[in-house]
Amino acid sequence: MLQSVHGVLDRLGYALIGAFFGALVGVAGWWLYGLAYSLAYDGPGMDPVLRHWVQYGAAAFAVLGFIFRARAADAVADTVSGILHFEFDETPGQAASALVLCVVLVLVLVIAAIWFTSPSLR
């Protein structure tokens, strides 16, 4: 009994981690595709509501974290890699530059910090 409770708590921990990183992916998706600031996407914004992107991203990766535990990190990494490959028009066999990844993540975090600390933007 104790081992099954520990297993469920372990899965819930991975779900929480997946939800956190899914929310970050959701913020990136909102910025790039919801507001149409993408380098590669040429069209109208898909959904400008940040809450939708964050909720669905967090929920999707939380479910993956609960089901696949540590393997859910591969899904997050593949999603970020797919976004970077799409944005910089790279073929899937090429590796995205670590510098580009860092710049994109810093931009996403700065935008999220500005969004959540400025009362006029909410």
Side-chain angles (χ1 to χ4, degrees), residues 27-40:
V27 169
W30 165 75
W31 177 259
L32 293 171
Y33 311 117
L35 297 178
Y37 286 111
S38 171
L39 299 173

Side-chain angles (χ1 to χ4, degrees), residues 15 18-19 22-23 53-68 72 75-76:
W53 288 90
V54 171
Q55 281 177 339
Y56 297 138
F61 286 104
V63 168
L64 289 174
F66 187 81
I67 294 171
F68 297 113
V76 172

Side-chain angles (χ1 to χ4, degrees), residues 63-115:
V63 168
L64 289 174
F66 187 81
I67 294 171
F68 297 113
R69 295 188 292 196
R71 299 285 297 172
D74 293 337
V76 172
D78 287 344
T79 302
V80 171
S81 178
I83 290 171
L84 289 175
H85 286 303
F86 179 75
E87 287 302 312
F88 298 106
D89 199 23
E90 295 176 344
T91 58
Q94 295 177 335
S97 166
L99 178 62
V100 171
L101 177 64
C102 290
V103 168
V104 170
L105 288 177
V106 166
L107 285 175
V108 167
L109 291 175
V110 167
I111 291 165
I114 291 170
W115 180 269

